[in-house]
Amino acid sequence: MDLLTWLIVGLVAGVLAGLLVGGVGLVGDIVVGIVGAFVGGWLFRQLGVTTPFSGLAGTIFTAFVGAVVLLVLLHLLHRRRGGRRL
């Protein structure tokens, strides 16, 4: 995938995950979405499951799941440290 596709996947997945869990701003949501694509891909491989969609929709779904997991972990770690709200 080229850079523009990664940014679009990151934007869509990160914003959707941010709406569900609580985001960290537009740029932060894009980064969380891109990193979430790697987290989701790793998680799906470890569980031995595949996405119900193919192509770009499957990539966005995988990134969304990974971004949700990542945001939940970030919120839990941030709350545990007593920091200000993300």
Side-chain angles (χ1 to χ4, degrees), residues 15-44:
V15 168
L16 289 175
L19 290 173
L20 183 67
V21 180
V24 291
L26 183 62
V27 174
D29 286 345
I30 291 172
V31 171
V32 165
I34 292 170
V35 174
F38 292 104
V39 171
W42 177 83
L43 186 63
F44 279 25

Side-chain angles (χ1 to χ4, degrees), residues 6-19:
W6 277 107
L7 290 175
I8 291 170
V9 167
L11 173 66
V12 172
V15 168
L16 289 175
L19 290 173

Side-chain angles (χ1 to χ4, degrees), residues 71-85:
L71 280 174
V72 167
L73 290 174
L74 285 173
H75 284 298
L76 288 174
L77 286 173
H78 194 55
R79 185 180 309 158
R80 178 171 285 182
R81 291 184 181 197
R84 63 179 176 84
R85 189 165 192 264

